[in-house]
Amino acid sequence: MFWRNPILAPPSWLSLLFAILALACRAEEDPTKGGLYDNMSMWYEKAAWDCLLTNDAPFEPSRSSLKAMVLVIYGRTHRGVNVLSQLQIAHRMAISIACHEDTGRYVLQPSVCEECRSLSIRLKTLFMLNGQMHDYYRNPELREQLHLLADTGKLSPENSRISMGVEGSSPAQMTFTHLKFQLLKISDTICLIGELGLRSEWSVAALEAEISLMEKHCSNLYTKSSGSGSQLVSPHKGYGILHCYINYLLHLLFIPDLWQYLNGDIARETELSAFKCMAFAKASLRTFNHLAENMQPNTYAWYIRGLGSYYAEQSASTFIRGTTGLEGEKEDQEIRSLVERTSGIFSTLSDRSIFSTRGAFILEYRCMPQPPKRYSPSISI
């Protein structure tokens, strides 16, 4: 239909097409045209939104429209854009097409049910991710809004069964998404208890145990599938991304203890937790380096430039702050090697990644992390 008469193509279909093209451009790896591809990606993102806005009733309520929104928001999240206003629009769209409801109550085809479930979990994931990246937890109003939007509806993806799909096959894309969602919920809890003053020795131990169980589950799941065929997320790369994030989470859990130790609280428990924080920050950087150096072009390099670099940048900030107060001379060479290796990767990616640019600056000048900034929830589309 589109080729015969573009005017007759549904705006939601065109929007989804442009959203897919935007991500495709973002994934291109030609080093001589990286900036051009990123500019094209942003142009396609704008075209996707424009297609939806041209409807008589803005944002035609359909699953295709919601898919397009989720893809565009996902791409912008990997560039570090604050996407709260877009998420609010997508949230209203999800409600209008009952995507937030328990699809088991309706007579729908299995494929439609799975599509709604997929859109719901991805939307909730993006809400939590955006809130954590832009520090909404320091603003009570935004924190409450984030909680309401992320928890709307009766669908509980975290309670859905995580399966391998076909016996002996690799974990499917949705399995990977479920696992990342579970880890993001743990991250959400870490941020909340820290901001609300609910952090205690018991809560930290419980969260550490929960993360360890998730790590074991991910390891078992992906180990069983090693050597089998790929289903969108290959075993090696899928587990690598999850393992990198798990180390980041563990380092995040113990950051308050590191700051306490550096500020003069040298109690035995605080010192132990501070060293744990540094160990996990190192592990996070090592895993990031391994992924960046071993991922083939045109596969997951877009992740390394995006969220992968964001988590590595945060770990690098902690690592640089902690090396002065914790590390001894015996590890000077190890520290230097890790910093040089990570800095080189950041520098290579910096022309297409704001996170890598900041990470390279932190490591090159050994600068300390800046205090968190408040972000405005008003972002233009």
Side-chain angles (χ1 to χ4, degrees), residues 193-204:
I193 65 171
E195 194 57 41
L196 298 177
L198 302 176
R199 192 175 187 274
S200 65
E201 183 178 345
W202 178 86
S203 64
V204 170

Side-chain angles (χ1 to χ4, degrees), residues 108-122:
L108 298 173
Q109 295 179 358
S111 60
V112 175
C113 290
E114 186 60 25
E115 190 175 24
C116 288
R117 192 186 308 276
S118 174
L119 287 169
S120 177
I121 189 174
R122 283 177 169 85

Side-chain angles (χ1 to χ4, degrees), residues 66-138:
L66 185 57
K67 279 184 192 176
M69 291 182 200
V70 168
L71 289 178
V72 170
I73 292 169
Y74 184 72
R76 289 177 173 177
T77 299
H78 273 271
R79 294 206 311 273
V81 177
N82 188 336
V83 291
L84 178 60
S85 61
Q86 292 98 310
L87 283 168
Q88 290 169 331
I89 294 170
H91 174 256
R92 291 194 290 270
M93 167 71 74
I95 291 177
S96 70
I97 62 175
C99 226
H100 67 300
E101 299 282 356
D102 182 355
T103 53
R105 297 191 305 159
Y106 302 96
V107 181
L108 298 173
Q109 295 179 358
S111 60
V112 175
C113 290
E114 186 60 25
E115 190 175 24
C116 288
R117 192 186 308 276
S118 174
L119 287 169
S120 177
I121 189 174
R122 283 177 169 85
L123 196 54
K124 292 181 180 184
T125 295
L126 288 169
F127 267 115
M128 287 191 292
L129 184 57
N130 191 65
Q132 292 168 29
M133 289 177 68
H134 297 288
D135 205 25
Y136 290 169
Y137 297 90
R138 291 177 176 269

